Amino acid sequence: MFSSTWNFLKRHKRKFIFAGAFVGGVYFLGKYAQKKIREIQEREASEYIAQARRQFHFESNQRTCNMTVLSMLPTLREAILHHLNSESLTTLLKSKPANKLDIWEDLKIISFTRSVVAVYSTCMLVVLLRVQLNIIGGYLYLDNSVSKSGMMPLAPPDVQQQYLSSIQHLLGDGLSEMITEVKKAVQNTLGGVSLKQSLSLQELEQHLNQIRAQVEEGDGGSTHRPLSWYMMPDEENTLAAQACGLTENDITTIKLLNETRDMLESPDFGTVLNTCLNRGFNRFLDNMAEFFRPPPGAQGDSTPITTPDSLSHVSLPVAKIIPIVNGQIHSICSEIPSHFVQDLLMIDQVKEFAANVYETFSTSHELQK
């Protein structure tokens, strides 16, 4: 019996060897497949966790952006009021001076200038902080992700402070230059408009559009600056102008400033800023519309007094419009969330642009730069 079994095995030796190899191969292949599937699952889980962590960090960063905007609005408002002090003129008018007409003319220019500047600077503050805090936020996410690897941080605290302090340009030299340009545009547009002349809301909007066109497109002069200049100075005015003595943190800060400047000069940023400005000036006109409503019963009981058509028939003398315009800054630059600021913070294009900035600067390939 054993002899016949042995002979059978000898006759079919190759088949048994092949079968054994096949079974062994299938076994090891199965083990390999299981290992690969497990690796893929672990990698997917790790990527999902990383993506969720990055999403959470991004959303937290946007809340920080919103709170930072609100916290800086009082400083912006006070800076504008300091440069464009209409209160001193209203005080003079109460004393019934001989040059009353001249003071009213000055008040007209200053009132419109400071409201227009308030719209521009608030919109710029919103989008500039979105860019800066999402650039920093992206680098901080990378720093937190690689902190255990012993690599030097991309944005150490000193760099963060030095970089974010560049917002002072918008509150300082940038604001002063903007006031000069806006005031010139207001003078060119409204300087010849009599205090007794009546304007409808539509006519007021047309004047605002003329002022915007001069500020944003220039009047043909060679000194016209792009809107991005008011938010960030030219390169020669930055730390890079120093011939020597730059620390490693200074160099890192310069890199961040240059990246920010490139972002501010991009077409996408220009589109987002223009969207904010359109929304801001529309909200300004909405606020003004509250004062252009016809008196009750003026249009008859059958005509609602809130229709756009009814508003188009209402005109106010410029002298009555001035104090209304003059007070708008307190609504525009309000640290208490107002419709004006909330509108800007909730614009979809702003959110999408912020997400793109954060995505760009929170991906690992930035480590290679």
Side-chain angles (χ1 to χ4, degrees), residues 132 162-164 166 232 238-239 250 252-262:
Q132 286 192 306
Q162 196 172 25
Y163 168 65
L164 292 176
S166 64
M232 183 161 286
T238 66
L239 289 170
D250 290 337
T252 303
T253 302
I254 291 171
K255 177 176 178 290
L256 287 172
L257 291 172
N258 288 337
E259 289 170 337
T260 304
R261 187 176 293 103
D262 290 342

Side-chain angles (χ1 to χ4, degrees), residues 62-80:
Q62 303 324 295
R63 290 191 291 272
T64 300
C65 287
N66 293 344
M67 295 303 296
T68 304
V69 169
L70 293 174
S71 69
M72 295 193 69
L73 283 175
T75 303
L76 175 62
R77 182 179 65 241
E78 292 307 312
I80 296 173

